[in-house]
Amino acid sequence: MSAGVSTQRRRREMAAAAAAATSGAGRCRLSKIGAGRRPPPARVRVAVRLRPFVDGTAGASDPPCVRGMDSCSLEIANWRNHQETLKYQFDAFYGERSTQQDIYAGSVQPILRHLLEGQNASVLAYGPTGAGKTHTMLGSPEQPGVIPRALMDLLQLTREEGAEGRPWALSVTMSYLEIYQEKVLDLLDSTLGDLVIREDCRGNILIPGLTQKPITSFADFERHFLPASRNRTVGATRLNQRSSRSHAVLLVKVDQRERLAPFRQREGKLYLIDLAGSEDNRRTGNKGLRLKESGAINASLFVLGKVVDALNQGLPRVPYRDSKLTRLLQDSLGGSAHSILIANIAPERHFYLDTVSALNFAARTKEVINRPFTNESLQPHVLGPVKLSQKELLGPPEAKRARGPEEEEIGSLEPMAASASASQKLSPLQKLSSMDPAMLERLLSLDRLLASQGSQGAPLLSTPKRERMVLMKTVEEKDLEIERLKMKQKELEAKVLAQKAEDSKEKENHCPTILRPLLHRTVTVAKPLKKAVVMPLQLIQEQAASPNAEIHILKNKGRKRKLESLDAPEPEEKAEDCWELQISPELLAHGRQKILDLLNEGSARDLRSLQRIGPKKAQLIVGWRELHGPFSQVEDLERVEGITGKQMESFLKANILGLAAGQRCGPS
């Protein structure tokens, strides 16, 4: 009975392992792995560094609260029971006497080789404020930190691997940014504002608009990095005179291009991250802006802890998007990078709670699993346009279902003839006679297409299967779309021609009768619109009652109009009445005199009652009159600044009739 139970259990385990392998293969295809296997796991490595006592601090003579046991483990006093200690074990432990070279050579230097393989790597410095994170990453001129040492070795490796005669050509670029109060700022170009973090279709995290500087030597790196480091936001607190108020991220990209076929491309990214330290505002004494900065730092580190817990618990949602820092670290924690966490702790007893919190976070981070893979692709110019029909893109069974019934008999003879003709040309594939016939037929069809393209056929054959099939499918979809549009255009043209034919046939069958014009029918030209001049009623009445009968405002003036007749050889003429405005000389002189009197005696308010005279021009007229005396005639207004000849004509036409009849017009 026990043997049967164990057999069933073994079968279930094998089925579960097969299912896991199948699901892993599906995920690995999304992770740019074309070998059909899931990338191997790589646990986040954790190293702890204990800084020495700071000179001049209170309690420097007291024994430390942390003690190293060996090169990988340490112990710290248990605050709940002073007779016990809490023991932690990590990948490496560096005590008070450890040097910068020990930390770099023991934890950071081994991961640089992965960049030349097209994989990503990350180094994070974590810990409370004042624990020595910035010193670990930057160091000093006498004791360089992780960043200068890593750049020096990486540039040396790229020079050796990219030398003449080597298969790969390498180039290195750098970017430097900081996350300050949830804003992504470019340290290489301080004029740029808050940048956004995006994710492309392959899942890679990128920052559009971030400055990239090419570097070929360590001198180039220093020329860009040192001025950018001064742009980083720092501030003084009780615990540190130059406390980092932001998270600094140095991004180094290594691009590789293969010099020979199949001309592959690789890209490896190195993240060197100096995190801002968590702060207890009761001990740092932060106020105002420093308090706001501390709140933003602690909030982002809290989200970082939530991300680590979600990865360890296998939760369906990992809160990467809750913070700009975790969004940028999406590739470093639970992603595709070889990650190293350097946890910096302090030995003083008043740092005890911060030290325990940092060690607990480091212990949880040690359980995070990453899956690094090689970022490799082909150059775009290698993958030229390939035309592949739908029957050749599908396999033989699918092609048989796709072709119509009338093509089955003819199509059954094509593979044999194609195989016979292609086998003579395809020498590399003659050794594959033992392959499945269906797969061989597809390879022969592909070779026929590549033979017409010359030398581009061989690189395309050596491309990964997944990329080749995706490319062929995309080209086929474009061709089908073009054919569909051509067919639609032909249908529309046929409809237009048919409609024209029907219209012409209807005109022939139903010829409309032509109406002849009536005899002696005259066609008149459209009359022009009459222009009426509206005059004040009082003015017309005064003119009618005036004893002077020679004053006429409206005068009837006859005008002839031509009439066109269809029968008459010459057009007829007919008189048409129209009205034309005429002003008598006496009325014109009377109006001009009234305007002149108003210009010489009226105030600015009286002058504003005239048409075309506003407050500004009224003041100009009064000022000119005070300087130069009274106006001798109305035309002297042209001497006033701002009044032109055209304005003078419109001024006279608008005011002369009203003033002559004793009427005042309102202001314009």
Side-chain angles (χ1 to χ4, degrees):
M1 181 65 69
S2 61
V5 173
S6 61
T7 303
Q8 293 179 359
R9 184 181 301 170
R10 190 178 301 109
R11 289 178 179 176
R12 286 196 299 268
E13 293 177 354
M14 293 175 63
T22 304
S23 63
R27 286 192 295 271
C28 74
R29 280 193 289 270
L30 296 177
S31 301
K32 302 182 271 259
I33 296 296
R37 58 183 179 87
R38 195 175 185 184
R43 180 177 54 82
V44 176
R45 298 178 60 84
V46 177
V48 177
R49 183 182 191 183
L50 176 64
R51 71 159 172 79
F53 280 96
V54 178
D55 297 337
T57 58
S61 59
D62 297 338
C65 61
V66 180
R67 183 174 64 89
M69 301 177 64
D70 52 31
S71 60
C72 295
S73 58
L74 58 93
E75 63 178 1
I76 185 173
N78 187 358
W79 63 279
R80 294 181 178 178
N81 188 355
H82 297 285
Q83 297 180 357
E84 297 179 355
T85 58
L86 301 175
K87 296 182 180 180
Y88 295 89
Q89 188 170 5
F90 301 101
D91 297 287
F93 172 73
Y94 301 99
E96 301 174 355
R97 299 182 180 179
S98 299
T99 62
Q100 302 276 56
Q101 176 63 23
D102 296 338
I103 298 170
Y104 171 74
S107 298
V108 180
Q109 192 176 23
I111 68 172
L112 297 181
R113 178 62 60 176
H114 297 295
L115 297 174
L116 303 182
E117 300 172 359
Q119 299 181 1
N120 300 335
S122 299
V123 180
L124 298 90
Y126 180 87
T129 181
K133 300 180 298 300
T134 304
H135 177 72
T136 300
M137 298 302 292
L138 297 180
S140 61
E142 297 78 16
Q143 297 181 357
V146 169
I147 290 179
R149 293 176 186 270
L151 264 297
M152 192 175 298
D153 287 354
L154 182 61
L155 292 171
Q156 180 64 26
L157 287 175
T158 55
R159 281 194 296 268
E160 295 175 357
E161 295 294 331
E164 293 293 336
R166 294 296 183 95
W168 295 89
L170 286 82
S171 62
V172 182
T173 60
M174 63 166 287
S175 302
Y176 198 24
L177 61 96
E178 71 171 352
I179 301 177
Y180 175 70
Q181 295 189 15
E182 288 302 302
K183 294 181 180 180
V184 181
L185 305 178
D186 192 346
L187 294 177
L188 292 175
D189 188 358
S190 57
T191 60
L192 299 178
D194 185 13
L195 303 177
V196 295
I197 302 176
R198 302 294 188 193
E199 182 176 357
D200 61 6
C201 58
R202 298 180 179 179
N204 298 322
I205 301 298
L206 51 91
I207 302 176
L210 184 64
T211 305
Q212 294 186 8
K213 297 289 186 180
I215 53 176
T216 57
S217 62
F218 190 75
D220 294 342
F221 168 73
E222 286 184 327
R223 185 173 67 255
H224 300 306
F225 181 77
L226 294 180
S229 298
R230 303 187 190 101
N231 296 332
R232 186 181 178 185
T233 307
V234 295
T237 63
R238 291 181 181 177
L239 301 179
N240 193 353
Q241 292 298 322
R242 288 185 56 83
S243 176
S244 301
R245 314 310 297 168
S246 63
H247 309 293
V249 181
L250 176 64
L251 173 59
V252 182
K253 288 185 179 181
V254 180
D255 293 323
Q256 305 179 63
R257 297 177 183 271
E258 198 171 16
R259 291 191 171 100
L260 301 176
F263 304 103
R264 293 171 294 175
Q265 289 183 345
R266 290 178 180 175
E267 182 186 68
K269 294 186 292 186
L270 174 63
Y271 291 91
L272 299 170
I273 305 167
D274 180 15
L275 298 175
S278 58
E279 295 183 345
D280 185 354
N281 294 314
R282 294 171 297 182
R283 292 190 292 109
T284 56
N286 291 332
K287 295 180 181 179
L289 179 61
R290 294 289 174 263
L291 185 62
K292 185 178 180 181
E293 295 171 347
S294 176
I297 293 170
N298 292 338
S300 61
L301 295 178
F302 175 72
V303 177
L304 180 62
K306 289 172 58 178
V307 168
V308 172
D309 293 339
L311 292 172
N312 291 336
Q313 298 173 15
L315 298 181
R317 179 186 179 275
V318 181
Y320 288 116
R321 296 177 180 268
D322 292 357
S323 173
K324 295 290 184 66
L325 174 63
T326 53
R327 180 67 167 154
L328 193 61
L329 295 180
Q330 185 171 343
D331 192 38
S332 303
L333 296 175
S336 60
H338 297 271
S339 298
I340 301 293
L341 177 70
I342 303 177
N344 294 263
I345 57 176
E348 290 85 2
R349 290 189 175 273
H350 62 272
F351 277 99
Y352 177 81
L353 294 178
D354 293 333
T355 300
V356 172
S357 176
L359 291 176
N360 290 335
F361 175 80
R364 299 197 309 272
T365 306
K366 188 179 65 172
E367 306 300 327
V368 176
I369 301 298
N370 292 350
R371 294 191 176 274
F373 56 82
T374 300
N375 298 293
E376 185 175 289
S377 61
L378 289 179
Q379 293 186 13
H381 69 272
V382 175
L383 300 177
V386 180
K387 294 184 179 180
L388 190 64
S389 64
Q390 187 177 6
K391 300 173 185 177
E392 294 173 338
L393 182 61
L394 301 174
E398 293 82 354
K400 187 175 182 180
R401 289 194 298 268
R403 66 166 65 103
E406 66 277 357
E407 299 179 0
E408 290 184 0
E409 296 181 358
I410 302 175
S412 61
L413 301 177
E414 292 180 358
M416 298 178 60
S419 301
S421 60
S423 60
Q424 299 176 358
K425 304 177 183 178
L426 192 61
S427 57
L429 296 180
Q430 289 178 353
K431 301 178 182 180
L432 306 178
S433 57
S434 60
M435 187 183 292
D436 182 20
M439 181 61 66
L440 182 59
E441 180 185 358
R442 297 177 66 181
L443 287 175
L444 294 175
S445 301
L446 178 63
D447 186 74
R448 289 200 309 273
L449 296 173
L450 297 177
S452 61
Q453 299 181 3
S455 60
Q456 292 185 359
L460 186 59
L461 274 177
S462 60
T463 57
K465 174 183 176 182
R466 173 176 170 270
E467 296 182 3
R468 185 172 67 250
M469 298 304 294
V470 170
L471 175 66
M472 293 176 180
K473 186 175 180 180
T474 303
V475 174
E476 180 64 20
E477 289 177 355
K478 298 294 183 182
D479 293 340
L480 292 176
E481 182 68 17
I482 293 174
E483 292 297 331
R484 187 183 66 81
L485 294 176
K486 288 182 179 179
M487 293 297 296
K488 188 174 181 180
Q489 182 181 3
K490 291 180 179 179
E491 292 177 0
L492 294 175
E493 292 177 353
K495 287 182 180 179
V496 172
L497 294 176
Q499 186 67 27
K500 289 182 178 180
E502 291 179 0
D503 295 342
S504 61
K505 189 178 294 184
E506 288 180 359
K507 290 180 180 179
E508 292 177 359
N509 297 335
H510 306 284
C511 183
T513 59
I514 302 175
L515 298 177
R516 295 183 179 180
L518 297 176
L519 297 177
H520 306 290
R521 183 182 177 185
T522 59
V523 179
T524 60
V525 182
K527 297 180 180 180
L529 296 177
K530 293 184 178 181
K531 297 182 180 180
V533 180
V534 180
M535 301 296 296
L537 180 59
Q538 297 178 359
L539 178 61
I540 297 175
Q541 293 175 355
E542 290 180 3
Q543 291 176 357
S546 176
N548 191 358
E550 295 182 359
I551 298 178
H552 300 285
I553 300 301
L554 295 176
K555 183 178 180 182
N556 189 359
K557 182 180 180 182
R559 187 175 61 183
K560 294 183 179 180
R561 183 179 52 150
K562 291 184 179 181
L563 298 178
E564 296 181 0
S565 177
L566 296 176
D567 299 332
E570 295 181 359
E572 300 179 359
E573 294 184 356
K574 182 180 179 181
E576 181 184 359
D577 295 336
C578 63
W579 296 92
E580 186 182 41
L581 178 62
Q582 291 185 356
I583 304 175
S584 63
E586 294 81 2
L587 182 61
L588 182 61
H590 185 65
R592 293 171 66 90
Q593 185 61 39
K594 283 195 173 184
I595 295 175
L596 185 61
D597 294 342
L598 189 59
L599 291 176
N600 291 330
E601 300 174 0
S603 62
R605 184 174 181 180
D606 297 334
L607 292 173
R608 289 177 57 186
S609 63
L610 294 173
Q611 292 286 348
R612 306 291 192 274
I613 299 298
K616 186 176 180 180
K617 290 185 179 179
Q619 294 292 338
L620 291 174
I621 292 173
V622 173
W624 191 90
R625 188 176 63 193
E626 293 177 355
L627 291 176
H628 303 282
F631 294 91
S632 59
Q633 55 183 355
V634 180
E635 283 74 8
D636 291 342
L637 276 177
E638 296 183 4
R639 302 180 182 179
V640 180
E641 183 181 359
I643 299 178
T644 61
K646 293 184 178 180
Q647 293 178 351
M648 189 64 190
E649 294 178 4
S650 61
F651 170 77
L652 290 175
K653 290 180 181 179
N655 293 283
I656 192 168
L657 291 177
L659 289 176
Q663 301 293 325
R664 292 277 182 94
C665 300
S668 59

